[in-house]
Amino acid sequence: MTTTPSEAGPRTRPGGLPWPALLALSTAVFITSLTETLPAGVLPRMADSLDVGPGAAGQSVTVYAAGTALTAIPLAGATASVPRKPLLLGAMAVFLVANTLTAAAPGYAVLLAARFLAGVAAGLAWAILAGYARRIAPAGSEGRAIAVAMTGIPVALSLGVPAGTLIGEQVGWRAAFGAVSLATLAVLGWIGASVPAVGRPAEGPGGDRPGLRRTLAVPGVAAVMATVALFVLGHTVVYAYVAPYLRHAGLGPETDAVLLVFGAASLLSIWGVGRLVDRRPRALMLAGAALFTLATAALAVTGAHPVVWAAAVLWGLGWGGAPTLLQTAAGRAAGRHGAAAADTAQAALVTLWNAAMALGGVVGGLLLDRSGAGAVAATAAVLGAAALLVVAGGRRHAFPGA
């Protein structure tokens, strides 16, 4: 397997994790995750402002995910020879433009176009972020490095979305997206100053770059992808419409507080996953899928306020570490055939992740309009149970014990 000098240096450097660089990557993850999920907290106000229903406003999540799903693999292939740092900076610059357009959108069509553009930027960023963190980490700490980078997801959920929801309630949903644009400006400077440059990923054992079909044929990779599709679909079905669910349960005014509890539990989850991902990946993935299934089943059965608060905690604990666990599993399974195969698997994961999000937005909206909030949570629970079964069956290659 060949490497570029910029790849080999960071991976063999002695010492601890490169914290400034990893935290910059984590903040980039924060921006992408916040851009993706912010509509969940401001959905009712967005719908009222644009004079559309909650289900139509929820399609702002769908088109974002569609933009990512349609472009992640093609962009990963087209940019395979481009150095990673300028590529990441370019993707974040597109986020700046897309969120600014979202904040200024005069109508529903422009909003959807801006959200699609943001999704395209996410497809490019997510295809390289986990691999970037892995390459700048010391050997043996790759899982921890990915966990640090992925901390941006629960931070976005625990702090970013509640803060955006509060801004949306006090000032307006457009101001919330404008604040994301300002944060993106700061992230661009931070990445430029602290993240080391790395070259293109190493090729496979035969000096080639394996395609998607060959990568999916690697033992364990397909099972990881199936888990991604099921788990993310279940999560999105309920998360994209959490505000209408909470309003139905009589907790509409507490939406920001419930999201804060969910996000805090997610932070605790990713902290635990970060400490154990290199030693207990299977047990952690099983626990995450089980907790998510239990939480959404409880939401389907009753909207009683104590149950909703408890379910938010269990949901956060089950979901928070999932991105780290799934990306680590994909990288390990495909990485047996080289870093290029691992990056191809990462692009496939991003595509499936966002295809599941797009489908989740559509399915959740249909369920909400036709069957009510309880059906949304019940569907999420069924999908979570299916993901749990796939994880349990992937003992040998997809989700091994260590």
Side-chain angles (χ1 to χ4, degrees):
M1 181 172 65
T2 60
T3 60
T4 64
S6 58
E7 254 188 311
R11 288 292 298 275
T12 58
R13 183 180 61 248
L17 294 175
W19 285 101
L22 288 175
L23 290 176
L25 295 180
S26 178
T27 310
V29 171
F30 170 86
I31 293 296
T32 64
S33 183
L34 181 57
T35 300
E36 175 182 47
T37 56
L38 183 56
V42 298
L43 195 62
R45 292 182 178 273
M46 182 184 290
D48 292 342
S49 171
L50 297 171
D51 196 26
V52 296
Q59 301 315 305
S60 62
V61 176
T62 302
V63 297
Y64 177 102
T68 302
L70 291 172
T71 60
I73 291 177
L75 284 176
T79 61
S81 61
V82 179
R84 303 290 95 176
K85 185 170 181 176
L87 194 60
L88 179 58
L89 288 170
M92 298 311 296
V94 176
F95 267 108
L96 174 62
V97 172
N99 279 315
T100 303
L101 285 175
T102 301
Y108 184 60
V110 175
L111 173 79
L112 294 184
R115 293 288 294 171
F116 184 85
L117 179 63
V120 172
L124 183 55
W126 276 97
I128 62 176
L129 277 165
Y132 213 133
R134 186 170 60 243
R135 286 184 200 124
I136 64 175
S141 297
E142 293 88 350
R144 287 187 61 210
I146 293 174
V148 172
M150 293 304 107
T151 303
I153 296 175
V155 171
L157 297 177
S158 62
L159 300 178
V161 175
T165 302
L166 181 62
I167 292 173
E169 291 175 350
Q170 300 298 321
V171 185
W173 67 269
R174 297 179 186 276
F177 281 97
V180 178
S181 292
L182 292 177
T184 307
L185 276 174
V187 171
L188 282 166
W190 192 357
I191 293 172
S194 65
V195 176
V198 298
R200 63 182 179 84
E203 296 173 347
D208 61 345
R209 301 186 58 80
L212 178 60
R213 183 176 299 179
R214 285 176 56 193
T215 300
L216 291 176
V218 175
V221 173
V224 174
M225 298 304 160
T227 305
V228 168
L230 292 167
F231 206 164
V232 177
L233 179 59
H235 168 77
T236 307
V237 161
V238 65
Y239 189 83
Y241 298 97
V242 67
Y245 177 91
L246 293 174
R247 179 182 289 180
H248 171 77
L251 284 168
E254 306 297 327
T255 297
D256 55 347
V258 173
L259 290 174
L260 181 63
V261 168
F262 167 79
S266 296
L267 277 175
L268 180 60
S269 173
I270 202 168
W271 175 81
V273 166
R275 292 179 63 87
L276 298 173
V277 64
D278 291 312
R279 290 176 286 163
R280 303 292 300 276
R282 177 175 175 80
L284 291 170
M285 194 67 238
L286 286 168
L291 288 172
F292 173 80
T293 302
L294 178 61
T296 50
L299 292 175
V301 171
T302 176
H305 293 189
V307 174
V308 172
W309 289 102
V313 174
L314 296 178
W315 183 5
L317 290 174
W319 173 256
T324 296
L325 291 166
L326 291 168
Q327 290 184 89
T328 301
R332 286 175 171 169
R336 303 185 189 101
H337 286 234
D343 272 18
T344 301
Q346 180 65 24
L349 184 150
V350 170
T351 297
L352 273 175
W353 191 290
N354 287 277
M357 286 189 60
L359 183 58
V362 173
V363 171
L366 291 173
L367 288 169
L368 181 66
D369 291 340
R370 298 181 181 181
S371 303
V376 172
T379 301
V382 171
L383 292 166
L388 179 59
L389 289 175
V390 176
V391 175
R395 177 183 298 274
R396 185 174 180 185
H397 297 293
F399 301 99

